[in-house]
Amino acid sequence: MPQMPQALRERAIGMLTAGMSTRSVARALNVHFSTISHLQRRFREYGSTSNRPHNRKRRVTTPAQDLHIQQVHLQDRLRPATQTAAETIGLHNQTISAQTVRNRLREAQLHARRPHRGLDLTPARRRNRLEWANAHIRWRLARWRGVLFTDESRFTLFRADGRQRVWRRVGERFADVNVVDRVAHGGGGVMVWAGICYGRRTQVHFIDGILNAQRYRDEILRPIVVPYIHEHHLMFQQDNARPHVARICTQFLEAENVPVLAWPAYSPDMSPVEHVWDVLDRRIRQRVPVPTNIQQLRTAIEEEWTNIPQATIDNLINSMRRRCVALHEANGGHTRY
Protein backbone atom coordinates (compact mmCIF):
# COMPACT_ATOMS: atom_id res chain seq x y z
CA MET A 1 0.00 0.00 0.00
CA PRO A 2 1.38 3.48 -0.83
CA GLN A 3 2.59 5.22 2.28
CA MET A 4 0.12 7.65 3.89
CA PRO A 5 0.69 9.70 7.04
CA GLN A 6 -0.88 8.04 10.08
CA ALA A 7 -3.08 11.05 10.77
CA LEU A 8 -4.42 10.95 7.21
CA ARG A 9 -5.19 7.23 7.53
CA GLU A 10 -7.17 7.75 10.71
CA ARG A 11 -9.06 10.63 9.11
CA ALA A 12 -9.94 8.47 6.12
CA ILE A 13 -11.23 5.63 8.34
CA GLY A 14 -13.28 8.12 10.32
CA MET A 15 -14.91 9.44 7.14
CA LEU A 16 -15.63 5.89 5.94
CA THR A 17 -17.12 4.96 9.31
CA ALA A 18 -19.34 8.05 9.10
CA GLY A 19 -20.89 6.63 5.91
CA MET A 20 -18.98 8.38 3.14
CA SER A 21 -18.22 6.40 0.02
CA THR A 22 -14.72 5.33 -0.91
CA ARG A 23 -14.63 7.65 -3.93
CA SER A 24 -15.87 10.60 -1.89
CA VAL A 25 -13.15 10.05 0.72
CA ALA A 26 -10.48 9.73 -1.97
CA ARG A 27 -11.68 12.93 -3.62
CA ALA A 28 -11.87 14.84 -0.34
CA LEU A 29 -8.36 13.79 0.72
CA ASN A 30 -6.89 14.07 -2.78
CA VAL A 31 -5.74 10.45 -2.60
CA HIS A 32 -6.04 7.72 -5.23
CA PHE A 33 -9.19 5.61 -4.99
CA SER A 34 -7.27 2.32 -4.81
CA THR A 35 -5.30 3.58 -1.82
CA ILE A 36 -8.45 4.32 0.18
CA SER A 37 -9.96 0.99 -0.90
CA HIS A 38 -6.85 -0.89 0.20
CA LEU A 39 -6.84 0.97 3.53
CA GLN A 40 -10.49 0.07 4.11
CA ARG A 41 -9.83 -3.65 3.48
CA ARG A 42 -6.83 -3.64 5.81
CA PHE A 43 -8.86 -1.95 8.55
CA ARG A 44 -11.66 -4.49 8.24
CA GLU A 45 -9.17 -7.37 8.35
CA TYR A 46 -6.81 -6.24 11.12
CA GLY A 47 -8.74 -3.50 12.91
CA SER A 48 -5.86 -1.03 12.66
CA THR A 49 -4.68 1.69 10.29
CA SER A 50 -0.99 0.96 10.96
CA ASN A 51 1.19 -1.05 8.62
CA ARG A 52 1.74 -4.68 9.45
CA PRO A 53 5.23 -5.49 10.72
CA HIS A 54 7.58 -6.52 7.92
CA ASN A 55 9.71 -9.64 7.93
CA ARG A 56 13.18 -8.16 8.02
CA LYS A 57 16.48 -9.93 7.43
CA ARG A 58 17.86 -11.42 10.60
CA ARG A 59 20.86 -9.63 12.07
CA VAL A 60 24.11 -11.58 11.77
CA THR A 61 25.79 -9.85 14.72
CA THR A 62 25.03 -9.87 18.42
CA PRO A 63 24.63 -6.68 20.49
CA ALA A 64 28.05 -7.38 22.01
CA GLN A 65 29.60 -7.61 18.55
CA ASP A 66 27.87 -4.40 17.53
CA LEU A 67 29.45 -2.65 20.51
CA HIS A 68 32.84 -4.18 19.71
CA ILE A 69 32.64 -2.92 16.11
CA GLN A 70 31.89 0.58 17.33
CA GLN A 71 34.71 0.54 19.88
CA VAL A 72 37.45 -0.65 17.51
CA HIS A 73 36.55 2.07 15.02
CA LEU A 74 36.45 4.72 17.74
CA GLN A 75 39.93 3.65 18.80
CA ASP A 76 41.23 3.63 15.21
CA ARG A 77 39.30 6.17 13.12
CA LEU A 78 41.19 5.23 9.93
CA ARG A 79 40.42 1.52 10.23
CA PRO A 80 38.74 0.21 7.04
CA ALA A 81 35.40 -1.61 7.32
CA THR A 82 36.79 -4.51 5.28
CA GLN A 83 39.38 -5.25 7.98
CA THR A 84 36.78 -5.35 10.73
CA ALA A 85 34.52 -7.57 8.61
CA ALA A 86 37.35 -10.04 8.00
CA GLU A 87 38.15 -10.25 11.73
CA THR A 88 34.55 -10.62 12.96
CA ILE A 89 32.58 -13.86 12.99
CA GLY A 90 28.83 -13.41 13.21
CA LEU A 91 26.06 -15.68 14.45
CA HIS A 92 26.27 -19.37 13.52
CA ASN A 93 29.90 -18.87 12.39
CA GLN A 94 28.77 -16.68 9.51
CA THR A 95 31.14 -14.19 7.94
CA ILE A 96 29.90 -10.64 7.84
CA SER A 97 30.31 -8.14 5.02
CA ALA A 98 31.94 -4.73 5.09
CA GLN A 99 28.51 -3.25 4.44
CA THR A 100 27.27 -4.84 7.67
CA VAL A 101 30.10 -3.13 9.52
CA ARG A 102 29.19 0.19 7.90
CA ASN A 103 25.54 -0.32 8.88
CA ARG A 104 26.47 -0.95 12.51
CA LEU A 105 28.69 2.15 12.55
CA ARG A 106 25.96 4.23 10.95
CA GLU A 107 23.58 3.11 13.69
CA ALA A 108 26.09 4.57 16.17
CA GLN A 109 26.14 7.88 14.20
CA LEU A 110 29.60 7.14 12.78
CA HIS A 111 29.91 8.02 9.09
CA ALA A 112 32.80 7.73 6.64
CA ARG A 113 34.07 11.18 5.67
CA ARG A 114 37.25 12.59 4.20
CA PRO A 115 39.68 13.42 7.04
CA HIS A 116 40.59 17.02 7.68
CA ARG A 117 44.16 17.69 6.55
CA GLY A 118 45.75 19.69 9.32
CA LEU A 119 49.28 20.68 10.28
CA ASP A 120 51.51 18.38 12.32
CA LEU A 121 50.93 19.62 15.85
CA THR A 122 53.58 18.12 18.10
CA PRO A 123 53.14 18.27 21.90
CA ALA A 124 55.43 21.29 22.06
CA ARG A 125 53.46 23.11 19.35
CA ARG A 126 50.18 22.31 21.06
CA ARG A 127 51.57 23.63 24.33
CA ASN A 128 52.71 26.87 22.70
CA ARG A 129 49.36 27.33 21.00
CA LEU A 130 47.52 26.75 24.27
CA GLU A 131 49.73 29.24 26.12
CA TRP A 132 49.06 31.83 23.43
CA ALA A 133 45.31 31.24 23.62
CA ASN A 134 45.32 31.61 27.40
CA ALA A 135 47.31 34.84 27.12
CA HIS A 136 44.93 36.42 24.61
CA ILE A 137 41.55 34.90 25.46
CA ARG A 138 40.60 37.91 27.61
CA TRP A 139 41.48 40.51 25.00
CA ARG A 140 38.60 42.87 24.37
CA LEU A 141 37.22 43.36 20.90
CA ALA A 142 38.75 46.82 20.68
CA ARG A 143 42.27 45.36 20.98
CA TRP A 144 41.71 42.90 18.15
CA ARG A 145 40.31 45.70 16.02
CA GLY A 146 43.63 47.48 16.45
CA VAL A 147 45.69 44.72 14.82
CA LEU A 148 46.91 44.64 11.23
CA PHE A 149 46.82 40.98 10.14
CA THR A 150 49.18 40.26 7.22
CA ASP A 151 50.17 37.26 5.15
CA GLU A 152 51.35 36.05 1.75
CA SER A 153 49.48 33.68 -0.50
CA ARG A 154 50.08 32.15 -3.92
CA PHE A 155 47.39 32.17 -6.61
CA THR A 156 47.64 29.96 -9.69
CA LEU A 157 45.81 30.05 -12.99
CA PHE A 158 44.46 26.52 -12.63
CA ARG A 159 43.80 24.75 -9.38
CA ALA A 160 41.65 21.83 -8.27
CA ASP A 161 40.23 22.96 -4.92
CA GLY A 162 38.31 19.74 -4.16
CA ARG A 163 34.93 21.51 -4.34
CA GLN A 164 34.21 20.76 -8.00
CA ARG A 165 31.99 17.76 -8.74
CA VAL A 166 30.99 16.00 -11.96
CA TRP A 167 27.70 14.26 -12.73
CA ARG A 168 28.39 10.93 -14.41
CA ARG A 169 26.92 7.47 -14.90
CA VAL A 170 28.48 4.21 -13.80
CA GLY A 171 31.40 3.35 -16.06
CA GLU A 172 31.88 6.94 -17.29
CA ARG A 173 34.71 7.88 -14.95
CA PHE A 174 37.30 8.22 -17.71
CA ALA A 175 35.04 9.72 -20.38
CA ASP A 176 36.45 12.96 -21.79
CA VAL A 177 33.45 14.99 -20.64
CA ASN A 178 34.08 13.85 -17.05
CA VAL A 179 37.83 14.54 -16.94
CA VAL A 180 39.25 17.82 -15.63
CA ASP A 181 42.71 18.40 -17.06
CA ARG A 182 45.48 18.96 -14.54
CA VAL A 183 48.04 21.58 -15.48
CA ALA A 184 51.58 21.20 -14.15
CA HIS A 185 52.34 23.69 -11.33
CA GLY A 186 48.92 25.27 -11.78
CA GLY A 187 49.88 26.77 -15.14
CA GLY A 188 51.87 29.51 -13.43
CA GLY A 189 50.88 31.91 -10.70
CA VAL A 190 51.72 34.93 -8.57
CA MET A 191 52.65 35.51 -4.94
CA VAL A 192 50.65 38.22 -3.16
CA TRP A 193 51.09 40.05 0.15
CA ALA A 194 48.33 42.03 1.83
CA GLY A 195 47.04 43.10 5.22
CA ILE A 196 43.62 43.54 6.80
CA CYS A 197 42.32 45.30 9.89
CA TYR A 198 38.97 46.44 11.18
CA GLY A 199 37.43 48.97 8.83
CA ARG A 200 40.17 48.96 6.19
CA ARG A 201 42.74 46.97 4.26
CA THR A 202 46.04 47.54 2.51
CA GLN A 203 46.55 47.27 -1.22
CA VAL A 204 47.81 43.94 -2.54
CA HIS A 205 51.53 43.77 -3.27
CA PHE A 206 52.83 41.29 -5.85
CA ILE A 207 56.07 39.51 -5.06
CA ASP A 208 58.20 38.49 -8.02
CA GLY A 209 60.67 35.70 -7.39
CA ILE A 210 61.75 34.40 -3.99
CA LEU A 211 60.99 36.52 -0.94
CA ASN A 212 63.94 36.69 1.45
CA ALA A 213 64.38 38.73 4.60
CA GLN A 214 66.07 41.68 2.91
CA ARG A 215 63.38 41.95 0.22
CA TYR A 216 60.68 41.60 2.86
CA ARG A 217 62.16 44.53 4.77
CA ASP A 218 62.85 46.74 1.75
CA GLU A 219 59.75 46.00 -0.34
CA ILE A 220 57.05 45.43 2.27
CA LEU A 221 57.98 46.51 5.80
CA ARG A 222 59.64 49.84 5.05
CA PRO A 223 57.38 51.24 2.29
CA ILE A 224 54.04 49.67 3.29
CA VAL A 225 53.79 48.32 6.83
CA VAL A 226 55.58 50.99 8.86
CA PRO A 227 53.69 54.00 7.38
CA TYR A 228 50.39 52.13 7.60
CA ILE A 229 50.97 51.12 11.24
CA HIS A 230 51.93 54.64 12.33
CA GLU A 231 49.13 56.32 10.38
CA HIS A 232 46.36 54.15 11.87
CA HIS A 233 48.02 53.35 15.24
CA LEU A 234 47.89 49.59 14.83
CA MET A 235 49.69 46.52 16.13
CA PHE A 236 51.47 44.41 13.53
CA GLN A 237 50.75 40.67 13.08
CA GLN A 238 52.70 38.26 10.90
CA ASP A 239 53.33 34.53 11.00
CA ASN A 240 56.64 32.87 11.76
CA ALA A 241 57.91 32.43 8.20
CA ARG A 242 61.70 32.67 8.04
CA PRO A 243 61.85 36.05 6.27
CA HIS A 244 59.45 37.49 8.86
CA VAL A 245 61.44 36.51 11.92
CA ALA A 246 64.91 37.11 10.49
CA ARG A 247 67.14 39.34 12.62
CA ILE A 248 67.30 42.20 10.13
CA CYS A 249 63.48 42.35 10.08
CA THR A 250 62.94 42.12 13.83
CA GLN A 251 65.62 44.74 14.48
CA PHE A 252 64.11 47.00 11.84
CA LEU A 253 60.65 46.79 13.42
CA GLU A 254 62.11 47.54 16.85
CA ALA A 255 63.98 50.55 15.49
CA GLU A 256 60.78 51.84 13.88
CA ASN A 257 58.80 51.38 17.14
CA VAL A 258 56.33 49.00 15.50
CA PRO A 259 54.46 46.89 18.10
CA VAL A 260 54.41 43.27 17.00
CA LEU A 261 51.81 40.75 18.14
CA ALA A 262 53.43 37.52 19.33
CA TRP A 263 52.21 34.67 17.17
CA PRO A 264 52.29 30.90 17.83
CA ALA A 265 53.89 28.66 15.23
CA TYR A 266 51.70 26.43 13.05
CA SER A 267 48.57 28.50 13.70
CA PRO A 268 46.96 29.56 10.42
CA ASP A 269 43.57 28.79 11.99
CA MET A 270 44.04 31.78 14.29
CA SER A 271 44.63 34.26 11.47
CA PRO A 272 41.52 35.80 9.85
CA VAL A 273 43.48 36.77 6.76
CA GLU A 274 43.65 33.09 5.79
CA HIS A 275 39.87 33.14 5.30
CA VAL A 276 40.12 36.32 3.25
CA TRP A 277 42.51 34.53 0.88
CA ASP A 278 39.91 31.80 0.45
CA VAL A 279 37.19 34.38 -0.27
CA LEU A 280 39.46 36.08 -2.80
CA ASP A 281 40.28 32.79 -4.53
CA ARG A 282 36.60 31.89 -4.86
CA ARG A 283 35.78 35.27 -6.35
CA ILE A 284 38.57 34.87 -8.90
CA ARG A 285 37.34 31.38 -9.91
CA GLN A 286 33.81 32.73 -10.37
CA ARG A 287 34.85 35.45 -12.81
CA VAL A 288 33.56 35.23 -16.37
CA PRO A 289 35.76 34.70 -18.22
CA VAL A 290 38.25 33.02 -15.89
CA PRO A 291 41.80 34.45 -16.08
CA THR A 292 43.90 32.54 -18.61
CA ASN A 293 47.27 34.29 -18.29
CA ILE A 294 49.36 35.91 -15.57
CA GLN A 295 48.40 39.49 -16.45
CA GLN A 296 44.70 38.65 -16.33
CA LEU A 297 45.26 36.90 -13.00
CA ARG A 298 46.99 39.97 -11.55
CA THR A 299 44.16 42.22 -12.72
CA ALA A 300 41.56 39.84 -11.27
CA ILE A 301 43.35 39.75 -7.91
CA GLU A 302 43.52 43.56 -7.69
CA GLU A 303 39.87 44.02 -8.67
CA GLU A 304 38.42 41.25 -6.51
CA TRP A 305 40.53 42.29 -3.52
CA THR A 306 38.89 45.71 -3.52
CA ASN A 307 35.46 44.17 -4.17
CA ILE A 308 35.48 42.00 -1.04
CA PRO A 309 32.89 43.59 1.30
CA GLN A 310 34.51 45.24 4.28
CA ALA A 311 31.80 43.68 6.44
CA THR A 312 33.25 40.25 5.58
CA ILE A 313 36.67 41.31 6.84
CA ASP A 314 35.24 42.99 9.94
CA ASN A 315 33.29 39.86 10.86
CA LEU A 316 36.49 37.81 10.64
CA ILE A 317 38.31 40.30 12.89
CA ASN A 318 35.43 40.11 15.36
CA SER A 319 35.84 36.31 15.53
CA MET A 320 39.26 36.48 17.20
CA ARG A 321 38.03 35.93 20.73
CA ARG A 322 35.97 32.94 19.57
CA ARG A 323 39.09 31.56 17.91
CA CYS A 324 41.01 31.86 21.17
CA VAL A 325 38.21 30.14 23.07
CA ALA A 326 38.13 27.33 20.49
CA LEU A 327 41.89 26.89 20.74
CA HIS A 328 41.68 26.80 24.53
CA GLU A 329 38.91 24.20 24.45
CA ALA A 330 40.93 22.13 21.97
CA ASN A 331 43.86 22.20 24.43
CA GLY A 332 46.07 23.66 21.73
CA GLY A 333 44.94 21.18 19.09
CA HIS A 334 43.09 21.62 15.80
CA THR A 335 40.08 23.95 15.70
CA ARG A 336 37.20 24.36 13.29
CA TYR A 337 38.74 27.58 12.03
Side-chain angles (χ1 to χ4, degrees):
M1 181 184 70
Q3 292 295 323
M4 290 177 57
Q6 183 64 26
L8 192 61
R9 296 183 191 186
E10 295 176 355
R11 183 181 175 187
I13 291 299
M15 296 170 70
L16 292 170
T17 305
M20 294 181 62
S21 66
T22 305
R23 293 189 179 277
S24 299
V25 174
R27 190 179 303 110
L29 300 181
N30 196 23
V31 180
H32 197 273
F33 166 78
S34 61
T35 301
I36 300 299
S37 179
H38 191 73
L39 176 65
Q40 186 179 35
R41 290 197 304 270
R42 283 298 184 93
F43 183 76
R44 289 173 179 173
E45 184 176 356
Y46 301 105
S48 174
T49 60
S50 302
N51 285 336
R52 297 178 63 191
H54 297 280
N55 294 325
R56 300 186 182 277
K57 184 178 179 180
R58 184 178 181 181
R59 293 173 71 94
V60 296
T61 55
T62 65
Q65 288 175 323
D66 296 344
L67 182 60
H68 173 72
I69 290 173
Q70 298 169 16
Q71 290 176 342
V72 296
H73 281 270
L74 285 173
Q75 295 171 0
D76 183 3
R77 298 301 181 101
L78 297 178
R79 181 186 180 94
T82 52
Q83 179 182 348
T84 304
E87 298 175 357
T88 305
I89 303 298
L91 292 172
H92 310 297
N93 293 326
Q94 298 182 47
T95 59
I96 67 174
S97 66
Q99 186 59 47
T100 297
V101 174
R102 298 186 190 100
N103 293 340
R104 300 300 178 266
L105 295 175
R106 194 175 295 114
E107 293 171 359
Q109 303 302 315
L110 292 173
H111 305 277
R113 298 290 187 268
R114 287 184 298 179
H116 170 69
R117 296 189 178 277
L119 297 174
D120 180 21
L121 297 180
T122 62
R125 292 167 184 167
R126 291 174 182 263
R127 184 169 56 254
N128 292 337
R129 282 163 53 87
L130 180 60
E131 291 175 356
W132 183 88
N134 292 336
H136 296 83
I137 198 170
R138 297 186 181 278
W139 272 30
R140 295 183 179 275
L141 192 58
R143 295 194 67 179
W144 290 118
R145 290 179 175 180
V147 176
L148 175 67
F149 295 90
T150 67
D151 193 23
E152 300 92 16
S153 183
R154 181 172 177 81
F155 294 85
T156 58
L157 286 171
F158 306 101
R159 182 174 69 87
D161 59 6
R163 301 187 184 101
Q164 192 175 22
R165 297 292 186 267
V166 61
W167 297 98
R168 58 180 171 85
R169 302 184 185 92
V170 176
E172 290 186 341
R173 178 179 182 182
F174 299 105
D176 290 342
V177 294
N178 297 325
V179 176
V180 177
D181 296 331
R182 183 180 63 181
V183 181
H185 309 293
V190 294
M191 181 70 72
V192 179
W193 177 95
I196 61 170
C197 58
Y198 191 83
R200 56 181 61 88
R201 75 199 80 176
T202 69
Q203 295 296 321
V204 293
H205 175 75
F206 295 101
I207 303 170
D208 297 322
I210 298 175
L211 180 68
N212 55 31
Q214 184 174 349
R215 290 190 61 193
Y216 181 63
R217 180 195 63 185
D218 297 339
E219 298 178 15
I220 296 177
L221 293 182
R222 180 178 284 117
I224 304 175
V225 172
V226 172
Y228 201 90
I229 290 290
H230 289 163
E231 179 183 359
H232 301 291
H233 308 287
L234 301 171
M235 179 179 287
F236 180 49
Q237 181 275 336
Q238 59 182 352
D239 60 24
N240 294 285
R242 288 188 177 183
H244 299 173
V245 296
R247 182 178 301 176
I248 63 172
C249 293
T250 56
Q251 291 178 347
F252 173 76
L253 293 173
E254 291 176 0
E256 295 293 334
N257 295 320
V258 174
V260 179
L261 174 64
W263 199 253
Y266 289 81
S267 300
D269 52 338
M270 292 296 103
S271 177
V273 72
E274 296 287 348
H275 296 270
V276 180
W277 291 137
D278 187 61
V279 172
L280 178 60
D281 185 70
R282 293 192 188 195
R283 296 179 70 95
I284 293 172
R285 305 299 169 188
Q286 293 171 357
R287 286 173 70 96
V288 180
V290 177
T292 56
N293 58 54
I294 297 299
Q295 185 54 50
Q296 291 179 2
L297 180 59
R298 283 174 173 257
T299 301
I301 290 173
E302 291 177 332
E303 292 179 355
E304 295 301 337
W305 175 257
T306 58
N307 291 337
I308 295 176
Q310 185 61 42
T312 300
I313 296 176
D314 292 347
N315 289 336
L316 291 170
I317 301 288
N318 291 338
S319 70
M320 284 306 301
R321 187 178 184 279
R322 296 194 299 271
R323 293 170 188 260
C324 293
V325 171
L327 185 56
H328 172 79
E329 294 177 348
N331 199 29
H334 299 284
T335 69
R336 66 185 181 91
Y337 294 98

